[in-house]
Amino acid sequence: AELAKLKGKKGHHCSVNTRNIDTVQGPVTFSSTKSLSSGPGGINTSTGLFTAARDGIYTITYSLRAGNNAGENTVQLWMRKNEQKISGTTHYSYYTGPSGGVSDQGGRTMIVQLVKGDTVDLYCLDCSAYIGYVSFCVSEE
């Protein structure tokens, strides 16, 4: 019902993964996802790609939970536009203790100009330790 109110308005799209992400390296996908979408375009949950349906200014946001145990690799992920890293969007999570682990939460919001056909996604350089509870939202301004 809430999305019906937005029909015909500018696009708002969110995908939320409520469990661990299976991605080790590559685009973050949303296999166990709750998605909300209104307006043209949308997030392809199988590929993790948002494709702009028209030229405009977009707000792109992600948030997540990450974790590392002793000896695991550093979690590194960022936003991409047309498969190119967007500067200032990297999330790092690491633990250097001899035992135990750490869990953290983070995210980024960016305002970017997109033209019709541009793509935006989240990319993991290394998410082998743990990421989960990922939300990825794109709104046209």
Side-chain angles (χ1 to χ4, degrees), residues 66-90:
N68 299 83
N69 292 318
E72 290 183 325
N73 292 337
T74 299
V75 171
Q76 296 181 60
L77 74 144
W78 51 76
M79 291 182 200
R80 298 189 308 174
K81 174 183 171 184
N82 298 326
E83 299 187 359
Q84 299 298 310
K85 182 178 181 178
I86 299 175
S87 179
T89 66
T90 302

PDB file of all heavy atoms in Angstrom, residues 66-90:
ATOM      1  N   ALA A  66      29.516  -6.410   9.711  1.00  0.00           N
ATOM      2  CA  ALA A  66      30.695  -7.183   9.296  1.00  0.00           C
ATOM      3  C   ALA A  66      31.351  -7.778  10.532  1.00  0.00           C
ATOM      4  O   ALA A  66      31.183  -7.260  11.642  1.00  0.00           O
ATOM      5  CB  ALA A  66      31.689  -6.295   8.553  1.00  0.00           C
ATOM      6  N   GLY A  67      32.083  -8.845  10.343  1.00  0.00           N
ATOM      7  CA  GLY A  67      32.765  -9.468  11.461  1.00  0.00           C
ATOM      8  C   GLY A  67      34.016 -10.209  11.030  1.00  0.00           C
ATOM      9  O   GLY A  67      34.123 -10.656   9.891  1.00  0.00           O
ATOM     10  N   ASN A  68      34.939 -10.273  11.949  1.00  0.00           N
ATOM     11  CA  ASN A  68      36.199 -10.978  11.723  1.00  0.00           C
ATOM     12  C   ASN A  68      36.602 -11.706  12.993  1.00  0.00           C
ATOM     13  O   ASN A  68      36.456 -11.173  14.085  1.00  0.00           O
ATOM     14  CB  ASN A  68      37.338 -10.010  11.387  1.00  0.00           C
ATOM     15  CG  ASN A  68      37.090  -9.223  10.155  1.00  0.00           C
ATOM     16  OD1 ASN A  68      36.408  -8.210  10.221  1.00  0.00           O
ATOM     17  ND2 ASN A  68      37.643  -9.658   9.053  1.00  0.00           N
ATOM     18  N   ASN A  69      37.147 -12.880  12.815  1.00  0.00           N
ATOM     19  CA  ASN A  69      37.774 -13.618  13.906  1.00  0.00           C
ATOM     20  C   ASN A  69      39.277 -13.593  13.704  1.00  0.00           C
ATOM     21  O   ASN A  69      39.764 -13.274  12.609  1.00  0.00           O
ATOM     22  CB  ASN A  69      37.267 -15.061  13.943  1.00  0.00           C
ATOM     23  CG  ASN A  69      35.819 -15.126  14.347  1.00  0.00           C
ATOM     24  OD1 ASN A  69      35.385 -14.421  15.264  1.00  0.00           O
ATOM     25  ND2 ASN A  69      35.045 -15.958  13.674  1.00  0.00           N
ATOM     26  N   ALA A  70      40.008 -13.940  14.740  1.00  0.00           N
ATOM     27  CA  ALA A  70      41.472 -13.972  14.657  1.00  0.00           C
ATOM     28  C   ALA A  70      41.904 -14.801  13.453  1.00  0.00           C
ATOM     29  O   ALA A  70      41.382 -15.891  13.213  1.00  0.00           O
ATOM     30  CB  ALA A  70      42.057 -14.554  15.936  1.00  0.00           C
ATOM     31  N   GLY A  71      42.812 -14.254  12.670  1.00  0.00           N
ATOM     32  CA  GLY A  71      43.367 -14.967  11.523  1.00  0.00           C
ATOM     33  C   GLY A  71      42.583 -14.826  10.237  1.00  0.00           C
ATOM     34  O   GLY A  71      43.042 -15.283   9.190  1.00  0.00           O
ATOM     35  N   GLU A  72      41.397 -14.217  10.264  1.00  0.00           N
ATOM     36  CA  GLU A  72      40.612 -14.064   9.034  1.00  0.00           C
ATOM     37  C   GLU A  72      41.054 -12.827   8.261  1.00  0.00           C
ATOM     38  O   GLU A  72      41.629 -11.891   8.809  1.00  0.00           O
ATOM     39  CB  GLU A  72      39.118 -13.955   9.354  1.00  0.00           C
ATOM     40  CG  GLU A  72      38.531 -15.260   9.850  1.00  0.00           C
ATOM     41  CD  GLU A  72      37.037 -15.161  10.103  1.00  0.00           C
ATOM     42  OE1 GLU A  72      36.553 -14.104  10.530  1.00  0.00           O
ATOM     43  OE2 GLU A  72      36.368 -16.182   9.863  1.00  0.00           O
ATOM     44  N   ASN A  73      40.754 -12.833   6.962  1.00  0.00           N
ATOM     45  CA  ASN A  73      41.103 -11.705   6.100  1.00  0.00           C
ATOM     46  C   ASN A  73      40.281 -10.470   6.442  1.00  0.00           C
ATOM     47  O   ASN A  73      39.181 -10.571   6.979  1.00  0.00           O
ATOM     48  CB  ASN A  73      40.858 -12.063   4.629  1.00  0.00           C
ATOM     49  CG  ASN A  73      41.804 -13.118   4.125  1.00  0.00           C
ATOM     50  OD1 ASN A  73      42.888 -13.319   4.664  1.00  0.00           O
ATOM     51  ND2 ASN A  73      41.399 -13.814   3.087  1.00  0.00           N
ATOM     52  N   THR A  74      40.814  -9.306   6.081  1.00  0.00           N
ATOM     53  CA  THR A  74      40.105  -8.042   6.237  1.00  0.00           C
ATOM     54  C   THR A  74      38.929  -7.994   5.277  1.00  0.00           C
ATOM     55  O   THR A  74      39.071  -8.302   4.099  1.00  0.00           O
ATOM     56  CB  THR A  74      41.052  -6.866   5.932  1.00  0.00           C
ATOM     57  OG1 THR A  74      42.137  -6.904   6.862  1.00  0.00           O
ATOM     58  CG2 THR A  74      40.349  -5.529   6.025  1.00  0.00           C
ATOM     59  N   VAL A  75      37.742  -7.633   5.795  1.00  0.00           N
ATOM     60  CA  VAL A  75      36.578  -7.410   4.936  1.00  0.00           C
ATOM     61  C   VAL A  75      36.772  -6.063   4.238  1.00  0.00           C
ATOM     62  O   VAL A  75      37.079  -5.058   4.888  1.00  0.00           O
ATOM     63  CB  VAL A  75      35.267  -7.391   5.753  1.00  0.00           C
ATOM     64  CG1 VAL A  75      34.102  -6.934   4.901  1.00  0.00           C
ATOM     65  CG2 VAL A  75      34.994  -8.765   6.354  1.00  0.00           C
ATOM     66  N   GLN A  76      36.612  -6.060   2.917  1.00  0.00           N
ATOM     67  CA  GLN A  76      36.707  -4.823   2.142  1.00  0.00           C
ATOM     68  C   GLN A  76      35.614  -4.814   1.086  1.00  0.00           C
ATOM     69  O   GLN A  76      35.529  -5.725   0.276  1.00  0.00           O
ATOM     70  CB  GLN A  76      38.052  -4.718   1.430  1.00  0.00           C
ATOM     71  CG  GLN A  76      39.247  -4.631   2.334  1.00  0.00           C
ATOM     72  CD  GLN A  76      40.514  -4.502   1.522  1.00  0.00           C
ATOM     73  OE1 GLN A  76      40.664  -3.558   0.761  1.00  0.00           O
ATOM     74  NE2 GLN A  76      41.412  -5.454   1.679  1.00  0.00           N
ATOM     75  N   LEU A  77      34.766  -3.795   1.112  1.00  0.00           N
ATOM     76  CA  LEU A  77      33.776  -3.633   0.061  1.00  0.00           C
ATOM     77  C   LEU A  77      33.520  -2.160  -0.181  1.00  0.00           C
ATOM     78  O   LEU A  77      33.843  -1.315   0.652  1.00  0.00           O
ATOM     79  CB  LEU A  77      32.477  -4.374   0.381  1.00  0.00           C
ATOM     80  CG  LEU A  77      31.583  -3.768   1.431  1.00  0.00           C
ATOM     81  CD1 LEU A  77      30.135  -3.986   1.035  1.00  0.00           C
ATOM     82  CD2 LEU A  77      31.853  -4.417   2.761  1.00  0.00           C
ATOM     83  N   TRP A  78      32.939  -1.847  -1.354  1.00  0.00           N
ATOM     84  CA  TRP A  78      32.681  -0.467  -1.733  1.00  0.00           C
ATOM     85  C   TRP A  78      31.577  -0.399  -2.771  1.00  0.00           C
ATOM     86  O   TRP A  78      31.185  -1.419  -3.336  1.00  0.00           O
ATOM     87  CB  TRP A  78      33.938   0.195  -2.282  1.00  0.00           C
ATOM     88  CG  TRP A  78      34.634  -0.588  -3.362  1.00  0.00           C
ATOM     89  CD1 TRP A  78      34.259  -0.716  -4.671  1.00  0.00           C
ATOM     90  CD2 TRP A  78      35.814  -1.361  -3.228  1.00  0.00           C
ATOM     91  NE1 TRP A  78      35.136  -1.513  -5.357  1.00  0.00           N
ATOM     92  CE2 TRP A  78      36.110  -1.928  -4.488  1.00  0.00           C
ATOM     93  CE3 TRP A  78      36.670  -1.627  -2.157  1.00  0.00           C
ATOM     94  CZ2 TRP A  78      37.215  -2.733  -4.699  1.00  0.00           C
ATOM     95  CZ3 TRP A  78      37.768  -2.436  -2.376  1.00  0.00           C
ATOM     96  CH2 TRP A  78      38.027  -2.981  -3.641  1.00  0.00           C
ATOM     97  N   MET A  79      31.096   0.809  -3.017  1.00  0.00           N
ATOM     98  CA  MET A  79      30.130   1.040  -4.086  1.00  0.00           C
ATOM     99  C   MET A  79      30.871   1.191  -5.402  1.00  0.00           C
ATOM    100  O   MET A  79      31.996   1.690  -5.435  1.00  0.00           O
ATOM    101  CB  MET A  79      29.355   2.345  -3.849  1.00  0.00           C
ATOM    102  CG  MET A  79      28.414   2.347  -2.713  1.00  0.00           C
ATOM    103  SD  MET A  79      27.589   3.976  -2.689  1.00  0.00           S
ATOM    104  CE  MET A  79      27.018   4.006  -1.011  1.00  0.00           C
ATOM    105  N   ARG A  80      30.186   0.768  -6.488  1.00  0.00           N
ATOM    106  CA  ARG A  80      30.741   0.956  -7.825  1.00  0.00           C
ATOM    107  C   ARG A  80      29.689   1.610  -8.717  1.00  0.00           C
ATOM    108  O   ARG A  80      28.497   1.376  -8.569  1.00  0.00           O
ATOM    109  CB  ARG A  80      31.130  -0.374  -8.469  1.00  0.00           C
ATOM    110  CG  ARG A  80      32.190  -1.141  -7.752  1.00  0.00           C
ATOM    111  CD  ARG A  80      32.676  -2.332  -8.536  1.00  0.00           C
ATOM    112  NE  ARG A  80      31.593  -3.212  -8.987  1.00  0.00           N
ATOM    113  CZ  ARG A  80      31.775  -4.251  -9.791  1.00  0.00           C
ATOM    114  NH1 ARG A  80      32.969  -4.550 -10.245  1.00  0.00           N
ATOM    115  NH2 ARG A  80      30.745  -5.009 -10.152  1.00  0.00           N
ATOM    116  N   LYS A  81      30.186   2.402  -9.643  1.00  0.00           N
ATOM    117  CA  LYS A  81      29.363   2.959 -10.721  1.00  0.00           C
ATOM    118  C   LYS A  81      29.971   2.463 -12.020  1.00  0.00           C
ATOM    119  O   LYS A  81      31.157   2.689 -12.281  1.00  0.00           O
ATOM    120  CB  LYS A  81      29.384   4.488 -10.674  1.00  0.00           C
ATOM    121  CG  LYS A  81      28.666   5.152 -11.837  1.00  0.00           C
ATOM    122  CD  LYS A  81      28.790   6.674 -11.749  1.00  0.00           C
ATOM    123  CE  LYS A  81      28.279   7.336 -13.011  1.00  0.00           C
ATOM    124  NZ  LYS A  81      28.490   8.796 -12.964  1.00  0.00           N
ATOM    125  N   ASN A  82      29.167   1.760 -12.812  1.00  0.00           N
ATOM    126  CA  ASN A  82      29.650   1.188 -14.076  1.00  0.00           C
ATOM    127  C   ASN A  82      30.932   0.392 -13.875  1.00  0.00           C
ATOM    128  O   ASN A  82      31.887   0.521 -14.630  1.00  0.00           O
ATOM    129  CB  ASN A  82      29.828   2.281 -15.136  1.00  0.00           C
ATOM    130  CG  ASN A  82      28.525   2.974 -15.465  1.00  0.00           C
ATOM    131  OD1 ASN A  82      27.468   2.356 -15.458  1.00  0.00           O
ATOM    132  ND2 ASN A  82      28.590   4.263 -15.729  1.00  0.00           N
ATOM    133  N   GLU A  83      30.949  -0.417 -12.815  1.00  0.00           N
ATOM    134  CA  GLU A  83      32.055  -1.311 -12.455  1.00  0.00           C
ATOM    135  C   GLU A  83      33.331  -0.588 -12.033  1.00  0.00           C
ATOM    136  O   GLU A  83      34.391  -1.210 -11.934  1.00  0.00           O
ATOM    137  CB  GLU A  83      32.341  -2.325 -13.561  1.00  0.00           C
ATOM    138  CG  GLU A  83      31.155  -3.235 -13.846  1.00  0.00           C
ATOM    139  CD  GLU A  83      31.469  -4.342 -14.817  1.00  0.00           C
ATOM    140  OE1 GLU A  83      32.606  -4.431 -15.319  1.00  0.00           O
ATOM    141  OE2 GLU A  83      30.549  -5.146 -15.074  1.00  0.00           O
ATOM    142  N   GLN A  84      33.238   0.721 -11.752  1.00  0.00           N
ATOM    143  CA  GLN A  84      34.389   1.488 -11.267  1.00  0.00           C
ATOM    144  C   GLN A  84      34.135   1.901  -9.819  1.00  0.00           C
ATOM    145  O   GLN A  84      33.053   2.386  -9.480  1.00  0.00           O
ATOM    146  CB  GLN A  84      34.617   2.739 -12.135  1.00  0.00           C
ATOM    147  CG  GLN A  84      34.907   2.432 -13.587  1.00  0.00           C
ATOM    148  CD  GLN A  84      36.172   1.627 -13.761  1.00  0.00           C
ATOM    149  OE1 GLN A  84      37.227   1.965 -13.233  1.00  0.00           O
ATOM    150  NE2 GLN A  84      36.082   0.533 -14.509  1.00  0.00           N
ATOM    151  N   LYS A  85      35.141   1.733  -8.972  1.00  0.00           N
ATOM    152  CA  LYS A  85      35.027   2.070  -7.555  1.00  0.00           C
ATOM    153  C   LYS A  85      34.658   3.541  -7.380  1.00  0.00           C
ATOM    154  O   LYS A  85      35.239   4.417  -8.027  1.00  0.00           O
ATOM    155  CB  LYS A  85      36.363   1.778  -6.867  1.00  0.00           C
ATOM    156  CG  LYS A  85      36.375   2.025  -5.384  1.00  0.00           C
ATOM    157  CD  LYS A  85      37.734   1.644  -4.827  1.00  0.00           C
ATOM    158  CE  LYS A  85      37.810   1.831  -3.344  1.00  0.00           C
ATOM    159  NZ  LYS A  85      39.135   1.411  -2.822  1.00  0.00           N
ATOM    160  N   ILE A  86      33.685   3.804  -6.499  1.00  0.00           N
ATOM    161  CA  ILE A  86      33.339   5.187  -6.147  1.00  0.00           C
ATOM    162  C   ILE A  86      34.189   5.563  -4.938  1.00  0.00           C
ATOM    163  O   ILE A  86      34.087   4.948  -3.864  1.00  0.00           O
ATOM    164  CB  ILE A  86      31.839   5.340  -5.825  1.00  0.00           C
ATOM    165  CG1 ILE A  86      30.986   4.957  -7.037  1.00  0.00           C
ATOM    166  CG2 ILE A  86      31.529   6.768  -5.378  1.00  0.00           C
ATOM    167  CD1 ILE A  86      29.492   4.950  -6.778  1.00  0.00           C
ATOM    168  N   SER A  87      35.042   6.557  -5.105  1.00  0.00           N
ATOM    169  CA  SER A  87      35.960   6.989  -4.060  1.00  0.00           C
ATOM    170  C   SER A  87      35.194   7.378  -2.790  1.00  0.00           C
ATOM    171  O   SER A  87      34.141   8.004  -2.851  1.00  0.00           O
ATOM    172  CB  SER A  87      36.768   8.189  -4.570  1.00  0.00           C
ATOM    173  OG  SER A  87      37.646   8.646  -3.569  1.00  0.00           O
ATOM    174  N   GLY A  88      35.734   6.984  -1.644  1.00  0.00           N
ATOM    175  CA  GLY A  88      35.143   7.357  -0.363  1.00  0.00           C
ATOM    176  C   GLY A  88      34.046   6.435   0.131  1.00  0.00           C
ATOM    177  O   GLY A  88      33.396   6.732   1.129  1.00  0.00           O
ATOM    178  N   THR A  89      33.828   5.298  -0.533  1.00  0.00           N
ATOM    179  CA  THR A  89      32.723   4.420  -0.139  1.00  0.00           C
ATOM    180  C   THR A  89      33.186   3.092   0.454  1.00  0.00           C
ATOM    181  O   THR A  89      32.362   2.227   0.722  1.00  0.00           O
ATOM    182  CB  THR A  89      31.797   4.124  -1.339  1.00  0.00           C
ATOM    183  OG1 THR A  89      32.511   3.359  -2.314  1.00  0.00           O
ATOM    184  CG2 THR A  89      31.253   5.399  -1.956  1.00  0.00           C
ATOM    185  N   THR A  90      34.473   2.935   0.702  1.00  0.00           N
ATOM    186  CA  THR A  90      34.997   1.658   1.178  1.00  0.00           C
ATOM    187  C   THR A  90      34.690   1.426   2.649  1.00  0.00           C
ATOM    188  O   THR A  90      34.839   2.316   3.474  1.00  0.00           O
ATOM    189  CB  THR A  90      36.517   1.575   0.959  1.00  0.00           C
ATOM    190  OG1 THR A  90      36.789   1.757  -0.425  1.00  0.00           O
ATOM    191  CG2 THR A  90      37.079   0.237   1.398  1.00  0.00           C
TER     192      THR A  90
END
